[in-house]
């Protein structure tokens, strides 16, 4: 079964908790034992898990800036001049999806482990997250 989560982000640095939407897709599927893949369409956003609290959200922004800073040259800019080379590189390093086991009909997440979407693009974007549930 597949479901889609649609959201509009505020652009670079926006971090959104999509756990409840993913959990709803899993419960709608009626799958008790299986896996769910949660995948964002597009190459300038990423999905991972995090304890969703303001300190860690700020830490993730800081880490992205230290690893892939704004003020350096990106070859992508020379080719396309769209100013988001760092967005693509940040998104690629985190990755576009997570796969989470479903046990007894629920995502096997820890209490302090939320599924988050990281927006890295330099402008607000309409995002589609595909949740695909496989199991029985
Ligand atoms: Zn680009």
């Amino acid at each position: 079964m597949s479901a889609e989560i649609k959201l509009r982000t505020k652009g670079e640095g926006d971090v959104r908790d999509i756990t409840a939407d993913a959990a709803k897709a899993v419960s709608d599927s009626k799958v008790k034992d299986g896996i769910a893949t949660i995948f964002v369409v597009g190459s300038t956003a990423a999905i991972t898990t995090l304890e969703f609290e303001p300190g860690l959200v700020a830490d993730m922004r800081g880490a992205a800036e230290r690893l892939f800073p704004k003020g350096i040259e990106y070859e992508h800019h020379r080719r396309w001049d769209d100013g988001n080379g760092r967005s693509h590189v940040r998104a690629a390093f985190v990755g576009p999806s997570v796969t989470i086991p479903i046990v007894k009909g629920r995502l096997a997440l820890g209490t302090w482990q939320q599924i988050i979407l990281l927006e890295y693009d330099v402008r607000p974007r309409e995002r589609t997250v595909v949740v695909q549930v496989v199991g029985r």
Side-chain angles (χ1 to χ4, degrees), residues 16-28:
R16 305 283 284 273
D17 180 1
I18 58 170
T19 311
D21 301 285
K24 183 178 185 308
V26 169
S27 70
D28 289 350

Side-chain angles (χ1 to χ4, degrees), residues 60-112:
M60 287 298 285
R61 291 185 186 121
E65 186 54 37
R66 286 190 299 277
L67 288 165
F68 315 106
K70 276 186 188 121
I72 64 171
E73 278 299 319
Y74 289 88
E75 292 300 320
H76 185 68
H77 297 174
R78 284 193 235 262
R79 288 184 67 82
W80 302 105
D81 199 32
D82 61 357
N84 69 355
R86 66 181 179 277
S87 315
H88 290 280
V89 177
R90 290 173 182 187
F93 267 80
V94 176
S97 69
V98 289
T99 297
I100 300 173
I102 299 165
V103 179
K104 295 179 183 160
R106 299 186 56 181
L107 290 166
L109 290 165
T111 306
W112 311 113

